[in-house]
Amino acid sequence: MFFLTGEYDHQIDAKNRIRIPSKLKGNEDRLYFSKGTNGCIFVFYDAAIKEKLEKLETDIKISDVEKQKGLRAFTKSLKLVEMDPQGRLVIPPELINYGKIRKDIKICGAGSRIEIWSKEVYDEYFAGVDENFDENFSVLDI
């Protein structure tokens, strides 16, 4: 089980490389990147993505056309990215475009995954969240 938390300000370099913050960094030298929800990029460690895909394969019937389309959209966006000798990861260009990433980014722990956001998209998405924390938290039903 993964419990990745926190948010970190970073920048992407001219060659689309990033470093995962040390508090989110595991021992693996390769991670899976995919399109995420709300314009972010999901990043999974090997064990986490295998767990997610096994659950999806078990839960989604092959005859469920809608859910199969969602599964296909997700899995076709998955890219295996290996760290270079300096510990950097190159974000695939199609995901850079999807996430509207330019220079400034936010890297966040989100439970079993890491999320990479364009700072602008992140700021827009979370505008007002702190002022409405109780309302947003109450939908979690915990």
Side-chain angles (χ1 to χ4, degrees):
M1 187 58 119
F2 292 81
F3 298 103
L4 304 169
T5 62
E7 67 176 4
Y8 307 88
D9 293 305
H10 278 270
Q11 291 186 333
I12 189 168
D13 72 13
K15 295 182 179 178
N16 296 339
R17 297 176 300 197
I18 62 164
R19 291 181 193 274
I20 298 296
S22 60
K23 292 187 178 179
L24 298 177
K25 193 168 192 271
N27 297 326
E28 297 177 35
D29 58 356
R30 39 186 241 163
L31 301 172
Y32 290 86
F33 285 58
S34 74
K35 289 180 178 179
T37 55
N38 303 105
C40 76
I41 298 169
F42 290 163
V43 181
F44 296 94
Y45 287 102
D46 192 56
I49 194 62
K50 285 182 179 173
E51 183 180 299
K52 297 279 185 222
L53 292 175
E54 286 173 5
K55 181 169 178 24
L56 289 169
E57 284 291 324
T58 301
D59 293 351
I60 298 175
K61 294 179 182 178
I62 200 164
S63 60
D64 189 329
V65 176
E66 274 188 56
K67 289 183 181 178
Q68 284 292 329
K69 188 173 185 179
L71 176 61
R72 289 180 184 121
F74 173 63
T75 56
K76 81 180 192 98
S77 79
L78 273 172
K79 309 288 183 220
L80 179 61
V81 177
E82 297 194 28
M83 286 185 192
D84 68 13
Q86 288 76 39
R88 299 171 298 198
L89 297 152
V90 177
I91 301 177
E94 60 272 23
L95 294 178
I96 294 279
N97 292 334
Y98 171 78
K100 300 178 183 170
I101 292 175
R102 290 173 183 76
K103 182 121 180 113
D104 294 322
I105 60 173
K106 288 279 194 174
I107 300 177
C108 308
S112 66
R113 69 180 178 272
I114 297 167
E115 293 182 347
I116 300 172
W117 294 76
S118 155
K119 184 180 179 329
E120 296 81 13
V121 173
Y122 182 90
D123 288 346
E124 183 179 322
Y125 180 79
F126 284 105
V129 166
D130 288 338
E131 293 81 23
N132 299 313
F133 182 82
D134 289 348
E135 181 182 324
N136 289 308
F137 186 75
S138 69
V139 300
L140 297 177
D141 198 30
I142 55 175

